[in-house]
Amino acid sequence: MRQVHDDDTPGGRQATPRRRGRVPAALLIPAGLGLLFLVLPLAGLLIRAPWTTLPERLTEPGALTALRLSVQTATLATALCLLLGVPLAWMLARVEFPGRRLVRALVTVPLVLPPVVGGVALLLVFGRRGLVGGWLDATFGITLPFTTTGVVLAESFVAMPFLVIAVEGALRAADHRYEEAAATLGASRWTTFTHVTLPLVAPGLAAGAVLCWARALGEFGATITFAGNYPGRTQTMPLAVYLALETDVESAIVLSLVLLVVSVGILVALRDRWMTTA
Amino acid sequence: MAVLVAVALVVAGCGGSADRATGGGGDGRVTGTVTVFAAASLTESFTRIGKDFEAANPGSRVTLNVAGSSALANQIIQGAPADVFASAAPANMTTVTEAGNADGTPSIFARNQLVIAVPRGNPKAVAGLADLTSPGVKVALCASQVPCGAAARTALDAAGVALTPVTLERDVKGALAKVKLGEVDAALVYRTDTRAASADVTGVEFPESARAVNDYPIVALKDAPNPNGARAFVAYVRSAPAQAVLTEAGFQAP
């Protein structure tokens, strides 16, 4: 395998020093296998896709409805996560308060929690008989399960940690002195936050939002548990894929392919611009 | 690649090949693990039948994989190492036999009828299918891709009831769970499911269910890791003691 040295390229500005010599096979082989393991299943989708019938399958109303709902709910969930998650990340990064470590651990729980458990937990709180849901139902006649709002809540619950972690990391890496300078120049805390802090962490914020959106788009377990499955209202793409697999494998492959293309497309398009917090 | 295959083999090996090694002997004795893929509605009765089977065949172990019949049929076709398939509808069995995965002809071992599951005490006073369309009554159905959903459609059509459910669940247990949690006021599930959940749920019988009776076929699978155990289990399900368990659970005899 040929190796590229940074200093081979003319004009490579202050390339990070990299050791010359062969990459040890002990690293190269497992690295290659790891890559293969991650990429092969995706390639499998491409290989098995029914390319000839793809156009008509894609334009089936059911597929389009599910895709539209997925994009809408993932976007709304990301908006909700930004609204609630950015202040939360700011608190975690900038404010000393007792129990901060515990709060940070709690915030990241949904990352490791099986989504279906998240769905059950949401039902117990926001369901018709839940702590908050019971009150909402009795007072306003609002029920959240089986509604599009329920989908947004389920997706937000699962995706918000991605945003909080990314933004908190960016805030910690950002230079405090700009904020201090703004304060000494008479800026209020809110002005400092909106005019100094936020622009400073914009790349991290964007990266977090993209991850959050992509995670929300792929959410399955919490959604089907909390919001149920009804075409046009709560049936997002992942749910449509699951049920299509029950009867029509090719249709499930096509839907999966769409989800894959959208996810990869978003990640690739944004990665170079924002994901590298230099 | 070789490493990956080796890892996969080691992982697969942990799944019980040690048990199975003794299972394929031709001496008629059943030992080792019998892996049974069973429709979600068979969860309770097959758990009991499995225990009885183990007692009758010392050295055997029954492992259940329960899910919607269509998902199970798919898993079998994709090469899941199963010994027996018990489906909640002939259609899903046909997918498996047509793919050449069955060992012999499937046989019907039970029948099941739909009821309306309501929370205990029936707060919305549901007495029949027509009541499900009343305003403020939330109903869960199974998705039409799984047998309980197909049967529900047939029954609703037979009754001439146009119903908009709030959710289409992926299997019968999912629909029942939404009733147990109180998130819906009613769900169309099998009679056997409400019996198994009698503490929280009541089953309301309705006449149109006779038009949508589900036949449950069972078959031993061709690539069964434990062919001996597979045939013995299928025979056992059709025997008197197992049929008694099924009847007690609310199934009808074929």
Side-chain angles (χ1 to χ4, degrees):
Chain A
M1 206 155 279
R2 211 183 79 86
Q3 287 167 55
V4 181
H5 300 285
D6 281 355
D7 45 0
D8 284 351
T9 45
R13 50 180 171 80
Q14 297 213 327
T16 44
R18 196 172 291 185
R19 211 161 284 156
R20 281 170 181 276
R22 297 180 62 81
V23 178
L27 293 181
L28 197 61
I29 290 168
L33 284 174
L35 183 67
L36 201 62
F37 175 63
L38 292 177
V39 173
L40 206 55
L42 306 181
L45 273 180
L46 295 172
I47 294 163
R48 283 287 309 273
W51 295 106
T52 46
T53 56
L54 199 64
E56 64 228 55
R57 281 178 182 280
L58 277 179
T59 48
E60 271 171 26
L64 287 179
T65 308
L67 181 62
R68 193 182 309 121
L69 187 71
S70 269
V71 170
Q72 281 169 351
T73 53
T75 307
L76 286 170
T78 307
L80 183 66
C81 289
L82 282 169
L83 198 68
L84 305 178
V86 172
L88 185 56
W90 185 83
M91 291 284 287
L92 288 174
R94 288 284 191 269
V95 185
E96 286 282 356
F97 58 91
R100 185 162 71 163
R101 277 161 175 267
L102 180 68
V103 171
R104 185 180 295 120
L106 287 176
V107 165
T108 48
V109 164
L111 275 184
V112 288
L113 198 71
V116 63
V117 176
V120 172
L122 285 170
L123 265 183
L124 296 181
V125 174
F126 294 108
R128 269 210 308 193
R129 290 189 189 165
L131 298 169
V132 179
W135 172 75
L136 281 176
D137 190 19
T139 318
F140 306 103
I142 299 172
T143 51
L144 295 170
F146 316 121
T147 61
T148 308
T149 314
V151 178
V152 174
L153 286 187
E155 290 180 348
S156 303
F157 179 79
V158 173
M160 190 161 350
F162 286 86
L163 180 86
V164 174
I165 287 179
V167 176
E168 196 209 342
L171 281 167
R172 288 184 173 279
D175 198 335
H176 285 246
R177 282 173 301 178
Y178 293 105
E179 292 170 0
E180 283 156 16
T184 52
L185 291 171
S188 73
R189 286 182 165 217
W190 180 248
T191 312
T192 311
F193 177 72
T194 51
H195 284 72
V196 180
T197 313
L198 278 188
L200 214 54
V201 297
L205 196 69
V210 169
L211 275 179
C212 180
W213 191 83
R215 180 65 190 87
L217 193 72
E219 217 304 304
F220 174 81
T223 307
I224 199 163
T225 311
F226 179 61
N229 171 60
Y230 194 80
R233 195 167 59 221
T234 58
Q235 187 179 76
T236 54
M237 283 294 272
L239 274 56
V241 170
Y242 183 90
L243 278 159
L245 196 59
E246 302 262 307
T247 45
D248 184 357
V249 177
E250 294 209 331
S251 159
I253 294 173
V254 170
L255 293 178
S256 304
L257 206 59
V258 173
L259 213 50
L260 179 72
V261 168
V262 172
S263 307
V264 171
I266 285 290
L267 290 176
V268 168
L270 295 184
R271 178 149 194 115
D272 293 336
R273 274 177 73 188
W274 287 323
M275 298 277 276
T276 44
T277 29
Chain B
M1 202 62 221
V3 179
L4 207 64
V5 172
V7 170
L9 285 177
V10 170
V11 172
C14 298
S17 62
D19 295 325
R20 286 190 183 122
T22 54
D27 58 352
R29 251 171 49 82
V30 178
T31 49
T33 302
V34 184
T35 308
V36 179
F37 279 33
S41 45
L42 292 166
T43 310
E44 293 82 9
S45 25
F46 265 39
T47 305
R48 252 194 80 186
I49 289 174
K51 291 225 162 61
D52 295 346
F53 180 84
E54 288 169 2
N57 298 280
S60 68
R61 210 177 69 214
V62 175
T63 313
L64 279 185
N65 175 24
V66 289
S69 299
S70 17
L72 294 173
N74 234 320
Q75 289 170 9
I76 291 167
I77 291 168
Q78 302 291 332
D83 293 306
V84 175
F85 178 40
S87 167
N92 309 105
M93 185 55 88
T94 310
T95 353
V96 168
T97 50
E98 276 178 1
N101 288 73
D103 173 28
T105 318
S107 56
I108 308 292
F109 68 95
R111 295 204 155 95
N112 212 350
Q113 227 164 314
L114 291 176
V115 295
I116 306 168
V118 294
R120 209 158 61 118
N122 197 357
K124 300 270 174 169
V126 173
L129 285 183
D131 295 335
L132 299 182
T133 55
S134 318
V137 176
K138 294 192 174 183
V139 182
L141 296 182
C142 297
S144 56
Q145 292 93 332
V146 295
C148 61
R153 270 289 141 230
T154 312
L156 288 166
D157 289 348
V161 171
L163 174 68
T164 308
V166 292
T167 179
L168 296 165
E169 294 290 312
R170 53 181 155 163
D171 65 31
V172 68
K173 295 297 180 194
L176 191 68
K178 298 278 150 84
V179 180
K180 285 190 195 171
L181 285 162
E183 294 302 335
V184 297
D185 304 301
L188 283 185
V189 301
Y190 298 118
R191 179 192 286 156
T192 51
D193 295 302
T194 56
R195 286 230 188 151
S198 55
D200 326 285
V201 176
T202 313
V204 178
E205 304 270 347
F206 59 96
E208 296 85 355
S209 69
R211 307 273 288 272
V213 176
N214 268 22
D215 287 337
Y216 281 58
I218 191 167
V219 80
L221 295 168
K222 206 173 70 186
D223 297 323
N226 186 351
N228 230 8
R231 281 184 219 116
F233 187 84
V234 171
Y236 185 80
V237 168
R238 299 180 53 79
S239 73
Q243 287 292 315
V245 171
L246 289 164
T247 312
E248 199 188 315
F251 285 100
Q252 292 149 289

